[in-house]
Amino acid sequence: MPAYKKSKKSYGQENANFVGQLVTRGGKIIRRFVRDYDISCDLKEKNIFAALNNGQLKDLQETHALWESHGMHDREMLDKRGIQEHIKSDAYVGGVIDHSGGHFHPLNLALGEASAIQQGGGTIYENTLVVDIEYADDAIKVITEFGTVTCKQAVLCGNAYLNKVIPKLTDRVMPVSTQIIATEPLGDLADQLLPTDVCVEDVRYILDYYRLSADKRMLFGGGTVYGGQDPADITAKIRPNMNRIFPELRDVKIDYAWSGNFALSFSRVPQMGKLHERVYFAHGYSGHGVTGSHLFGQILADAINGKTKEFDAFAQIPWIPFPGGRALRVPYSVMGSWWYALKDTTGM
Ligand SMILES: Cc1cc2nc3c(=O)[nH]c(=O)nc-3n(C[C@H](O)[C@H](O)[C@H](O)COP(=O)(O)OP(=O)(O)OC[C@H]3O[C@@H](n4cnc5c(N)ncnc54)[C@H](O)[C@@H]3O)c2cc1C
């Protein structure tokens, strides 16, 4: 269930509207950065949420109606024939196309943004592990393995990788690993499989997500490991999922495979707040943080500059601890995922 669908009931209409706008506002910020800083990151338009059975399609119809009620009119329902105009696969019964969505090369976006920061006078210290933070009334000391930075404000956004550096944040989110494989360049076959070059995710609890790279490789992702460990053989794990959607790719070469961690919050709602008057944090986008982190960055910047309305609205949303705490959250989440996988498979 999308975070904002739940949030209307749990946190009130205003916060639900706010959370519902996360995706579109974040996407607009990214497009502005790409334009203003002339970032080459193969930005392409539109994405599809795909349903594998009628139960999922019905859920999508309800979600679509909810989106509309929040003034989000960029999304359009697709039936089986409609979705096949975008994805040449028999796997789906329909879906939703989001005309405001999109996809791009994320590392190249990050590199372009880093370069813009440097051109604006900022300094980036790569490969410099923060090991502790000390707060005093007039200054914050960020202690790294190589030295200490004293600053007026600090924003902690280590997400799934912050580990135990800030104990107060450790329990709020759980690292989860997800994996991607990249085929060899597919040439014309790529255009046949995804003729409109959209990116796709299905709506299962443990989902497939995929898109074409600029050099026409299929980048196919999925898999979830609670706790954040890498699977021993990423290709062996992900390839069967890709073959199920696109049997035509059964014999193509897999050139690359990788994994990384995202930070899952129990409610799936991302979190931001303060640990100290001038120490902020933001994390827990639960696998959808590319746009979310851009919006949160804007909200944090506004808050630091004295415009706190949106920060205050978000910071008041209560976070829900994982059942079982740090010791048991992984096995409990695995058990929960089995239940949702059963629902997804049977279409309950
Ligand atoms: C394989 C994969 C596919 C994904 N696909 C999508 C997708 O299609 N769409 C989407 O929206 N999201 C996707 N995500 C999730 C998305 O990548 C995250 O939500 C997003 O990167 C969160 O941004 P962030 O800046 O909060 O955290 P991150 O991008 O994780 O950055 C955190 C940074 O903090 C640094 N850090 C942590 N601790 C310390 C420390 N103590 N000292 C110094 N530095 C530290 C880390 O090194 C890292 O650079 C995917 C994630 C993975 C792994």
Side-chain angles (χ1 to χ4, degrees), residues 29-63:
I29 294 169
I30 291 171
R31 284 182 178 85
R32 177 160 55 81
F33 285 175
V34 168
R35 193 186 57 234
D36 290 357
Y37 300 110
D38 196 18
I39 299 174
S40 299
C41 62
D42 310 320
L43 179 60
K44 301 175 197 174
E45 300 300 322
K46 302 181 197 296
N47 73 286
I48 284 183
F49 300 98
L52 288 143
N53 58 49
N54 289 331
Q56 291 171 5
L57 191 59
K58 190 164 162 280
D59 280 352
L60 266 180
Q61 271 155 351
E62 285 172 19
T63 305

Short mmCIF file of all heavy atoms in Angstrom, two decimals, residues 29-63:
data_model
loop_
_atom_site.label_atom_id
_atom_site.label_comp_id
_atom_site.label_asym_id
_atom_site.label_seq_id
_atom_site.Cartn_x
_atom_site.Cartn_y
_atom_site.Cartn_z
N ILE A 29 11.93 18.50 -8.80
CA ILE A 29 13.24 19.02 -8.35
C ILE A 29 14.35 18.40 -9.19
O ILE A 29 15.27 19.09 -9.66
CB ILE A 29 13.45 18.72 -6.84
CG1 ILE A 29 12.45 19.50 -6.00
CG2 ILE A 29 14.88 19.04 -6.42
CD1 ILE A 29 12.38 19.08 -4.54
N ILE A 30 14.25 17.09 -9.42
CA ILE A 30 15.28 16.42 -10.23
C ILE A 30 15.33 17.03 -11.63
O ILE A 30 16.40 17.36 -12.15
CB ILE A 30 15.00 14.90 -10.30
CG1 ILE A 30 15.23 14.26 -8.92
CG2 ILE A 30 15.90 14.23 -11.35
CD1 ILE A 30 14.80 12.82 -8.81
N ARG A 31 14.16 17.23 -12.25
CA ARG A 31 14.14 17.79 -13.62
C ARG A 31 14.75 19.19 -13.63
O ARG A 31 15.45 19.58 -14.56
CB ARG A 31 12.71 17.80 -14.15
CG ARG A 31 12.23 16.41 -14.57
CD ARG A 31 10.82 16.46 -15.13
NE ARG A 31 10.38 15.15 -15.57
CZ ARG A 31 9.83 14.24 -14.78
NH1 ARG A 31 9.63 14.48 -13.50
NH2 ARG A 31 9.46 13.05 -15.26
N ARG A 32 14.47 19.95 -12.56
CA ARG A 32 15.04 21.32 -12.48
C ARG A 32 16.57 21.25 -12.38
O ARG A 32 17.28 21.98 -13.08
CB ARG A 32 14.44 22.07 -11.27
CG ARG A 32 15.01 23.46 -11.05
CD ARG A 32 14.10 24.32 -10.20
NE ARG A 32 13.77 23.72 -8.91
CZ ARG A 32 14.55 23.76 -7.83
NH1 ARG A 32 15.73 24.35 -7.89
NH2 ARG A 32 14.16 23.22 -6.69
N PHE A 33 17.08 20.34 -11.54
CA PHE A 33 18.54 20.21 -11.41
C PHE A 33 19.17 19.81 -12.75
O PHE A 33 20.20 20.35 -13.15
CB PHE A 33 18.90 19.14 -10.36
CG PHE A 33 18.70 19.56 -8.93
CD1 PHE A 33 18.89 18.64 -7.90
CD2 PHE A 33 18.33 20.86 -8.61
CE1 PHE A 33 18.72 19.02 -6.58
CE2 PHE A 33 18.15 21.24 -7.29
CZ PHE A 33 18.34 20.31 -6.28
N VAL A 34 18.53 18.83 -13.41
CA VAL A 34 19.07 18.35 -14.69
C VAL A 34 19.16 19.51 -15.67
O VAL A 34 20.16 19.68 -16.39
CB VAL A 34 18.20 17.20 -15.25
CG1 VAL A 34 18.55 16.88 -16.69
CG2 VAL A 34 18.35 15.95 -14.38
N ARG A 35 18.10 20.35 -15.68
CA ARG A 35 18.08 21.49 -16.62
C ARG A 35 19.08 22.57 -16.19
O ARG A 35 19.94 22.98 -16.95
CB ARG A 35 16.64 22.06 -16.64
CG ARG A 35 16.37 23.02 -17.78
CD ARG A 35 14.99 23.64 -17.64
NE ARG A 35 14.83 24.32 -16.36
CZ ARG A 35 13.84 24.07 -15.50
NH1 ARG A 35 12.92 23.19 -15.75
NH2 ARG A 35 13.77 24.74 -14.34
N ASP A 36 18.97 22.99 -14.91
CA ASP A 36 19.77 24.14 -14.47
C ASP A 36 21.27 23.85 -14.47
O ASP A 36 22.07 24.74 -14.72
CB ASP A 36 19.35 24.59 -13.07
CG ASP A 36 17.96 25.22 -13.08
OD1 ASP A 36 17.39 25.36 -14.18
OD2 ASP A 36 17.44 25.54 -12.00
N TYR A 37 21.63 22.61 -14.14
CA TYR A 37 23.07 22.30 -14.04
C TYR A 37 23.55 21.46 -15.23
O TYR A 37 24.66 20.93 -15.21
CB TYR A 37 23.36 21.57 -12.71
CG TYR A 37 22.98 22.42 -11.53
CD1 TYR A 37 21.89 22.09 -10.73
CD2 TYR A 37 23.68 23.59 -11.23
CE1 TYR A 37 21.51 22.90 -9.67
CE2 TYR A 37 23.31 24.40 -10.17
CZ TYR A 37 22.22 24.04 -9.39
OH TYR A 37 21.85 24.84 -8.34
N ASP A 38 22.66 21.32 -16.22
CA ASP A 38 23.03 20.65 -17.46
C ASP A 38 23.64 19.27 -17.19
O ASP A 38 24.76 18.96 -17.62
CB ASP A 38 24.04 21.56 -18.21
CG ASP A 38 24.17 21.15 -19.66
OD1 ASP A 38 23.27 20.45 -20.15
OD2 ASP A 38 25.18 21.51 -20.29
N ILE A 39 22.89 18.45 -16.45
CA ILE A 39 23.40 17.14 -16.02
C ILE A 39 23.03 16.08 -17.07
O ILE A 39 21.85 15.93 -17.41
CB ILE A 39 22.82 16.75 -14.64
CG1 ILE A 39 23.25 17.79 -13.59
CG2 ILE A 39 23.28 15.35 -14.23
CD1 ILE A 39 22.63 17.59 -12.22
N SER A 40 24.02 15.36 -17.55
CA SER A 40 23.76 14.29 -18.52
C SER A 40 23.50 13.00 -17.75
O SER A 40 24.42 12.37 -17.24
CB SER A 40 24.98 14.06 -19.41
OG SER A 40 25.26 15.22 -20.12
N CYS A 41 22.24 12.60 -17.66
CA CYS A 41 21.93 11.37 -16.91
C CYS A 41 20.82 10.57 -17.61
O CYS A 41 20.12 9.81 -16.96
CB CYS A 41 21.57 11.68 -15.46
SG CYS A 41 20.12 12.72 -15.28
N ASP A 42 20.70 10.74 -18.93
CA ASP A 42 19.75 9.94 -19.72
C ASP A 42 18.33 9.98 -19.16
O ASP A 42 17.66 8.94 -19.06
CB ASP A 42 20.22 8.46 -19.80
CG ASP A 42 21.67 8.34 -20.21
OD1 ASP A 42 22.09 9.09 -21.09
OD2 ASP A 42 22.39 7.50 -19.61
N LEU A 43 17.89 11.16 -18.79
CA LEU A 43 16.54 11.30 -18.21
C LEU A 43 15.47 10.94 -19.24
O LEU A 43 15.48 11.47 -20.35
CB LEU A 43 16.35 12.74 -17.72
CG LEU A 43 15.01 13.11 -17.11
CD1 LEU A 43 14.69 12.27 -15.88
CD2 LEU A 43 14.99 14.59 -16.75
N LYS A 44 14.58 10.03 -18.87
CA LYS A 44 13.48 9.63 -19.76
C LYS A 44 12.17 9.72 -18.99
O LYS A 44 12.16 9.60 -17.77
CB LYS A 44 13.69 8.19 -20.25
CG LYS A 44 14.98 7.97 -21.01
CD LYS A 44 15.14 6.49 -21.33
CE LYS A 44 16.55 6.13 -21.72
NZ LYS A 44 16.71 4.69 -21.88
N GLU A 45 11.08 9.88 -19.73
CA GLU A 45 9.78 10.16 -19.10
C GLU A 45 8.94 8.89 -18.89
O GLU A 45 9.11 7.92 -19.59
CB GLU A 45 8.98 11.13 -19.97
CG GLU A 45 9.67 12.48 -20.19
CD GLU A 45 9.94 13.24 -18.89
OE1 GLU A 45 9.09 13.21 -17.99
OE2 GLU A 45 11.02 13.85 -18.76
N LYS A 46 8.04 8.96 -17.93
CA LYS A 46 6.95 8.01 -17.64
C LYS A 46 7.41 6.73 -16.92
O LYS A 46 8.51 6.23 -17.17
CB LYS A 46 6.22 7.57 -18.92
CG LYS A 46 5.62 8.72 -19.71
CD LYS A 46 4.89 8.18 -20.93
CE LYS A 46 4.64 9.26 -21.96
NZ LYS A 46 3.78 10.32 -21.55
N ASN A 47 6.51 6.25 -16.07
CA ASN A 47 6.72 4.93 -15.48
C ASN A 47 5.39 4.20 -15.36
O ASN A 47 4.32 4.82 -15.41
CB ASN A 47 7.41 5.00 -14.12
CG ASN A 47 6.51 5.51 -13.03
OD1 ASN A 47 6.22 6.69 -12.99
ND2 ASN A 47 6.05 4.63 -12.17
N ILE A 48 5.48 2.88 -15.24
CA ILE A 48 4.26 2.05 -15.16
C ILE A 48 4.28 1.22 -13.88
O ILE A 48 5.32 0.67 -13.50
CB ILE A 48 4.18 1.12 -16.41
CG1 ILE A 48 3.74 1.93 -17.62
CG2 ILE A 48 3.22 -0.04 -16.17
CD1 ILE A 48 3.54 1.14 -18.89
N PHE A 49 3.12 1.17 -13.22
CA PHE A 49 2.89 0.23 -12.13
C PHE A 49 2.08 -0.92 -12.72
O PHE A 49 0.96 -0.70 -13.20
CB PHE A 49 2.10 0.87 -10.99
CG PHE A 49 2.78 2.07 -10.38
CD1 PHE A 49 2.43 3.36 -10.76
CD2 PHE A 49 3.78 1.92 -9.44
CE1 PHE A 49 3.06 4.47 -10.22
CE2 PHE A 49 4.42 3.02 -8.89
CZ PHE A 49 4.06 4.30 -9.27
N ALA A 50 2.63 -2.13 -12.71
CA ALA A 50 2.00 -3.24 -13.43
C ALA A 50 1.35 -4.23 -12.46
O ALA A 50 1.90 -4.52 -11.40
CB ALA A 50 3.07 -3.96 -14.25
N ALA A 51 0.18 -4.74 -12.87
CA ALA A 51 -0.55 -5.71 -12.04
C ALA A 51 -0.47 -7.09 -12.68
O ALA A 51 -0.70 -7.25 -13.88
CB ALA A 51 -2.02 -5.29 -11.91
N LEU A 52 -0.14 -8.09 -11.85
CA LEU A 52 0.00 -9.46 -12.36
C LEU A 52 -1.30 -10.25 -12.26
O LEU A 52 -1.41 -11.33 -12.82
CB LEU A 52 1.10 -10.19 -11.56
CG LEU A 52 2.51 -9.69 -11.88
CD1 LEU A 52 3.37 -9.66 -10.63
CD2 LEU A 52 3.14 -10.56 -12.95
N ASN A 53 -2.26 -9.74 -11.49
CA ASN A 53 -3.55 -10.45 -11.39
C ASN A 53 -4.65 -9.43 -11.11
O ASN A 53 -4.39 -8.25 -10.85
CB ASN A 53 -3.48 -11.54 -10.31
CG ASN A 53 -3.11 -10.99 -8.95
OD1 ASN A 53 -3.69 -10.00 -8.50
ND2 ASN A 53 -2.14 -11.60 -8.30
N ASN A 54 -5.90 -9.93 -11.16
CA ASN A 54 -7.03 -9.00 -11.05
C ASN A 54 -7.13 -8.36 -9.66
O ASN A 54 -7.60 -7.23 -9.54
CB ASN A 54 -8.34 -9.72 -11.40
CG ASN A 54 -8.40 -10.01 -12.89
OD1 ASN A 54 -7.83 -9.27 -13.68
ND2 ASN A 54 -9.05 -11.11 -13.26
N GLY A 55 -6.69 -9.10 -8.63
CA GLY A 55 -6.70 -8.52 -7.28
C GLY A 55 -5.80 -7.29 -7.23
O GLY A 55 -6.17 -6.24 -6.68
N GLN A 56 -4.62 -7.42 -7.82
CA GLN A 56 -3.69 -6.28 -7.83
C GLN A 56 -4.24 -5.13 -8.68
O GLN A 56 -4.07 -3.96 -8.34
CB GLN A 56 -2.33 -6.73 -8.38
CG GLN A 56 -1.59 -7.68 -7.46
CD GLN A 56 -0.36 -8.28 -8.11
OE1 GLN A 56 0.02 -7.93 -9.22
NE2 GLN A 56 0.27 -9.22 -7.40
N LEU A 57 -4.93 -5.48 -9.78
CA LEU A 57 -5.47 -4.43 -10.65
C LEU A 57 -6.57 -3.66 -9.91
O LEU A 57 -6.66 -2.43 -10.02
CB LEU A 57 -6.02 -5.06 -11.94
CG LEU A 57 -6.37 -4.08 -13.04
CD1 LEU A 57 -5.15 -3.26 -13.47
CD2 LEU A 57 -6.94 -4.81 -14.26
N LYS A 58 -7.36 -4.40 -9.13
CA LYS A 58 -8.43 -3.74 -8.36
C LYS A 58 -7.80 -2.78 -7.32
O LYS A 58 -8.26 -1.64 -7.16
CB LYS A 58 -9.27 -4.82 -7.64
CG LYS A 58 -10.52 -4.30 -7.02
CD LYS A 58 -11.46 -5.46 -6.68
CE LYS A 58 -12.50 -5.00 -5.67
NZ LYS A 58 -12.00 -4.98 -4.29
N ASP A 59 -6.75 -3.24 -6.67
CA ASP A 59 -6.05 -2.36 -5.71
C ASP A 59 -5.53 -1.11 -6.41
O ASP A 59 -5.62 0.00 -5.89
CB ASP A 59 -4.84 -3.09 -5.09
CG ASP A 59 -5.27 -4.03 -3.98
OD1 ASP A 59 -6.46 -4.00 -3.61
OD2 ASP A 59 -4.42 -4.81 -3.50
N LEU A 60 -4.98 -1.32 -7.63
CA LEU A 60 -4.45 -0.17 -8.38
C LEU A 60 -5.57 0.81 -8.75
O LEU A 60 -5.37 2.02 -8.73
CB LEU A 60 -3.76 -0.65 -9.65
CG LEU A 60 -2.25 -0.87 -9.59
CD1 LEU A 60 -1.72 -1.34 -10.93
CD2 LEU A 60 -1.50 0.39 -9.15
N GLN A 61 -6.76 0.23 -9.09
CA GLN A 61 -7.89 1.11 -9.43
C GLN A 61 -8.25 1.99 -8.23
O GLN A 61 -8.49 3.18 -8.36
CB GLN A 61 -9.10 0.29 -9.87
CG GLN A 61 -9.10 0.01 -11.35
CD GLN A 61 -9.87 -1.25 -11.74
OE1 GLN A 61 -10.30 -2.03 -10.88
NE2 GLN A 61 -10.03 -1.45 -13.03
N GLU A 62 -8.26 1.36 -7.03
CA GLU A 62 -8.57 2.13 -5.81
C GLU A 62 -7.51 3.19 -5.56
O GLU A 62 -7.80 4.33 -5.21
CB GLU A 62 -8.64 1.19 -4.60
CG GLU A 62 -9.91 0.37 -4.56
CD GLU A 62 -9.87 -0.68 -3.46
OE1 GLU A 62 -9.05 -0.54 -2.52
OE2 GLU A 62 -10.64 -1.64 -3.55
N THR A 63 -6.26 2.79 -5.76
CA THR A 63 -5.16 3.74 -5.53
C THR A 63 -5.25 4.88 -6.54
O THR A 63 -5.03 6.05 -6.19
CB THR A 63 -3.80 3.02 -5.67
OG1 THR A 63 -3.80 1.92 -4.79
CG2 THR A 63 -2.65 3.94 -5.31
#
